[in-house]
Amino acid sequence: MRVLIISDIHANLVALETVLAATQDQYDALWCLGDVVGYGPRPNECVELMRDQAMFCLMGNHDWATLGRPGIDVNDFNPQARSAVLWTREQLQEENRLYLDELPDNPLNPPNADTVLATHASPREPVWEYVLTPSIAMENFALFEEPICFVGHTHKPAIYRWRLHHLSDAPQDDPTFSEDELEEYDANDPPPEKESQFVATVDYLMPQDGASIVLNTSEQQRLIINPGSVGQPRDNDARAAYAIFDIEKMTLEYNRIPYEIEETQNQMRDANLPRRLIDRLSFGW
């Protein structure tokens, strides 16, 4: 099964429709990692597309804030984001509000993918924490057992690779272990008498546009993967980001695609959304 994985749409309908048109017939299921609304000018249309097309969708922090749920104070947002949240609350139609309200806000295994965990922000704080550094990723690897965890929230494509090295048998750049060692040692909890012989590291990898990556996983290697943002990239690349995950082949295709940014910006101006939110789309920050 090939899965289109998207995140952080942020009510940018032009970007979302561009991604869906470009990937038509390339995937069997769509997973959305959250933040369908917020910042952008077309919240209802984006929610309706997810209602119609997403097999699996999670709740993001902007979805949560738009619903006015306890736990996230809209006053904790910067002024521009807060203004967009309050505007979105007024615009959201009841059936779309109900859809958002039913989205899961905890890490889950998507349908037919028991070896994959998905969450909006992080396994530790599913709605709010930003996985932006290897140290934060390291702390989160301890909180799940699946080989792969997909996250969004940062708006930046990334792969964090956790590797367990045997000090005597494996060089730092080669995590390969023999089958006997795979059976003998638990990667997450090495036997106490052997613990000093292991070291865990996390690498930060920046996927390139058009890259097709083989996702090698084992007891000694696991991954946290961020597909980037459809509607508001923040890696200095204004193009919409998405990924296609082949569950059987264990491959991931990273892609960027240009969309008519000016059309979204004009829609935002018509809605009197903050200028800073409008301008940043041009620069990908």
Side-chain angles (χ1 to χ4, degrees), residues 130-151:
Y130 291 90
V131 181
L132 282 168
T133 65
S135 61
I136 295 173
M138 175 72 82
E139 294 167 359
N140 275 276
F141 274 113
L143 301 177
F144 68 95
E145 297 180 350
E146 289 84 354
I148 297 173
C149 177
F150 285 102
V151 303

Side-chain angles (χ1 to χ4, degrees), residues 121-131 136 139-140 152-154:
S122 77
R124 178 167 56 186
E125 296 182 20
V127 178
W128 195 254
E129 182 178 37
Y130 291 90
V131 181
I136 295 173
E139 294 167 359
N140 275 276
H153 191 47
T154 70

